[in-house]
């Protein structure tokens, strides 16, 4: 049952609105929606505009937060977050350390899977915005810390680094990862990737660096073809303790 | 605390043994290991051979089951499983329907994340082997059904199809997916991908087909370069209800 | 020695002008250039504006015609033209049949290499524009025919098809290719590629289809990375008689 | 008309023999071939074994030399040679400097296109073998020099470097390239590529580095799919003087 203040996505065809239950009235080109009436509804229910146009009420998923959450920069792409999840085997028993939080999208993904996520963001204003996104996602197992990851302590099954990585980050991650656990390090540039690889190879075992070149396939009236855009985003270095 | 019959990975350097606690004695080139002594140990503990060589006791993760579980064919690759997880935003609140199970690797990944997984495998001998792998993974929320996915009913947040997909599979999946939920369909061949895309586009919204071309980067004494192998595996069609 | 009417490229830093020797005056932001004074100069010479700014006089190469020639559509990309040249081993002893001409860029490339090129373009206005581009390139061994390639006869070492290819085109190409010679067929879409492959495999030997995914590497102050754009353009099917 | 000592390829179905006209007898599983009888024949003619099996006599093309010439290491791949030809616009008016020759395959390609090719190979035994391959290709416009490319002089339209490139190679190439001409530099490793890019960017204009990820498409009874192998070979840096 939907509670006051909860984030929702209202959908009609290709129209999508990212709203908060209870917050006044939303004007759309198909009429006005009373957002207070969302409170107490079930997910998947219908809310109609004053013109009778019906929107489906969607409980947002990580994909919706990727699309709609407020951003402090370019977040990691789902394809890369998926690589981290898959190559670490992230699961419900895991304690995860995530740094730098950025907009908090990776933390939202991880928080939906792992037992507990601690996410460190050194820039206080980024941490604040990420905190807000993560609260919107209703994740009570994700803790945002406005600090340098080098200050983090504890034990983790997965440590994920998406920051201007230096050797000391890798060394610190090594101390925090449980035996059998993983480091995953995202680096857009080759020089960073090489440095991260070398630092990881000195400490961890099973060190591999991957790039996921994602390509969308397009179907049109003239036929099927790969999209003319393939996105490079970054390299993912996976290392196991 | 490790219980009798539990699957474990014993690790020393690059040596890895996939064993069962309590099952007699394991001969290695570094001496004999008494597997009964694993019972009652903690994960991360040490077990020594009769020659005093010490192996770390690792609780297996999905990545270990991918590496060691017995196979009935080529399983879906982690990169592709990661795409499915990321593009559906799979999380702990989800009910997931997975078909065809194959060796059960995708089901093991999904079972570590979702609330509940039903996995359908039409070939009884494959279902049996997958059942064994999934039991080894200690997942009590994964149910293996030796049946055609067309016989499945219920409601799911994510339906994942990795089989010789036909239009009726897509139509049936549409009936099983909750509003806001996802279909993810894996197809190695272009013709299947095109047919799946078209069938999905007739029913679902937000239909996209992706290919993840994974490339490993290699670091050697002569320098850094992409591996000369890039694995095509298949296309992943994502559709939202 | 440069003759009247000849095409040239005038270069100063990143400024490039594609001009014709003898044709009046060119206004640039660095002053006026008297194009008549180019006549009789040597390639690589200097022409100065009335403000004393010096441009180098460059004899255009195929790369310059790709950049500057007037277009009737998107021409084949150099990477794909290079694949055709390399996989057919095109050389100075070759008679080449090229169809459809389009803007004539491939014909200009081939004309700079082969003994003789016949290029067929079924749309008369395209043929006319290509004719003009090819004359600008100073290639006397390239003949533009405003006709359907199915009307072409003769014997060729290489037949290159860049058109909405049908089975009859492949069959006709087979009749025109000398033993040991090659068919190269460019198709943007997968369905065309498949049809071309099958038609070729019925007649020719050594049939292969390639895609060249070209990626530019970028070097910046933050480091080196692949460009975020990889251009799919089309598939190239190579077949040998 | 075929002359004594000339290299030829004899073809029957998927059987290929790389022979020399006049050199005794060739044993095949389809019978004996009298190679003296090739002398005076025309290309495309038929030579029969003593069992009456007929082979077509093929004049070798660059693609055949790539397949059959004796190698001193892994030669540059056709896709990469094609990139060099296309991005430099190599043509019959060109003087080309090629270094390190290796097996001479790139020199054979370039020799079939350009007016004149000088190819430098610092290892005398490689130069000797390349010389033999190039003579077999019947190219009188290709000169093999057993020397360091730093000793080369003259003026060239295209300088192609496929060697352990150092900054001084790029600087020397700059002195040898005519205005409007090109440097093309092939480097398998990222560190070499970066160094070559930077050295070229200091001297030349229009500096770009490309990678061609070639992928073969396969058609089988189950459908069409990309090959599971994509070959990385190297990066090609193109720079213009």
């Amino acid at each position: 049952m939907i509670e006051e203040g909860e984030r929702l996505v209202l959908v009609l065809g290709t129209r999508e609105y990212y709203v908060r239950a209870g917050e006044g009235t939303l004007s759309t080109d198909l009429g006005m929606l009373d957002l207070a009436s969302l409170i107490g509804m079930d997910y998947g229910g219908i809310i109609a505009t004053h013109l009778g146009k019906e929107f489906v009420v969607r409980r947002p998923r990580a994909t919706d937060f990727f699309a709609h959450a407020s951003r402090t920069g370019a977040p990691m792409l789902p394809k890369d977050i998926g690589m981290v999840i898959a190559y670490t085997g992230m699961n419900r028993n895991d304690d995860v350390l995530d740094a730098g939080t950025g907009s908090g999208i990776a933390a939202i993904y991880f928080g939906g899977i792992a037992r507990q996520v601690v996410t460190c963001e050194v820039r206080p204003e980024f941490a604040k915005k990420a905190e807000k996104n993560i609260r919107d996602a209703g994740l009570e197992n994700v803790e945002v810390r406005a600090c340098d990851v080098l200050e983090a302590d504890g034990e983790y099954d997965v440590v994920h680094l998406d920051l201007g990585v230096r050797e000391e980050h890798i060394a610190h991650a090594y101390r925090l990862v449980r035996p059998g656990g993983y480091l995953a390090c995202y680096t857009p540039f080759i020089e960073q990737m090489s440095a991260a690889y070398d630092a990881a190879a000195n400490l961890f075992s099973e060190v591999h660096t991957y790039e996921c070149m994602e390509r969308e396939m397009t179907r049109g009236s003239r036929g099927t073809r790969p999209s003319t855009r393939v996105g490079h985003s970054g390299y993912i270095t996976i290392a196991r303790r």
Side-chain angles (χ1 to χ4, degrees), chain A:
Chain A
M1 220 176 65
I2 294 166
E3 296 179 21
E4 178 155 14
E6 199 173 332
R7 279 289 190 186
L8 299 163
V9 179
L10 308 183
V11 182
L12 197 173
T14 59
R15 281 177 182 79
E16 279 196 22
Y17 296 98
Y18 181 60
V19 304
R20 206 182 283 285
E23 271 184 351
T25 299
L26 177 76
S27 292
T28 82
D29 62 330
L30 300 176
M32 312 284 272
L33 285 160
D34 172 16
L35 299 179
S37 68
L38 289 164
I39 300 169
M41 283 182 60
D42 287 323
Y43 305 121
I46 297 287
I47 178 172
T49 67
H50 79 287
L51 300 176
K53 299 298 181 183
E54 301 188 331
F55 283 75
V56 176
V57 179
R58 179 185 285 174
R59 183 184 193 176
R61 301 174 65 82
T63 50
D64 296 296
F65 292 108
F66 176 76
H68 296 295
S70 70
R71 296 185 174 188
T72 48
M76 235 175 115
L77 296 179
K79 71 179 180 80
D80 295 315
I81 295 173
M83 293 276 276
V84 170
I85 295 167
Y87 277 108
T88 63
M90 194 182 291
N91 65 74
R92 75 165 56 78
N93 300 313
D94 282 351
D95 299 314
V96 173
L97 176 66
D98 172 55
T101 315
S103 315
I105 300 299
I108 289 173
Y109 266 97
F110 300 160
I113 294 173
R115 176 166 53 198
Q116 186 220 153
V117 178
V118 173
T119 181
C120 300
E121 172 56 62
V122 80
R123 295 158 293 189
E125 72 285 9
F126 282 36
K128 207 170 153 188
K129 197 171 250 186
E131 172 80 39
K132 209 163 154 300
N133 285 333
I134 289 163
R135 290 297 79 83
D136 282 350
L139 292 163
E140 289 168 14
N141 61 335
V142 179
E143 180 192 346
V144 183
R145 293 192 193 154
C147 71
D148 192 306
V149 67
L150 295 172
E151 299 167 29
D153 55 8
E155 288 188 8
Y156 300 92
D157 299 288
V158 176
V159 173
H160 172 248
L161 304 178
D162 174 13
L163 40 72
V165 74
R166 297 189 309 275
E167 198 174 342
E168 58 189 329
H169 293 122
I170 308 281
H172 190 61
Y174 183 74
R175 287 189 289 270
L176 303 180
V177 175
R178 294 194 172 107
Y182 284 98
L183 165 69
C185 185
Y186 175 84
T187 48
F189 292 97
I190 288 172
E191 292 80 2
Q192 297 171 313
M193 174 272 280
S194 298
Y197 182 96
D198 290 350
N202 281 338
L203 295 168
F204 290 85
S205 61
E206 302 174 34
V207 182
H208 297 279
T209 296
Y210 302 102
E211 181 187 5
C212 169
M213 293 180 284
E214 181 189 79
R215 196 145 79 141
E216 188 164 354
M217 302 297 289
T218 59
R219 295 266 298 155
S221 57
R222 296 173 59 206
T224 307
R225 61 188 299 184
S227 159
T228 52
R229 279 198 54 204
V230 180
H232 173 76
S233 46
Y235 300 97
I236 295 176
T237 299
I238 302 289
R240 194 164 199 177
R241 172 150 182 183

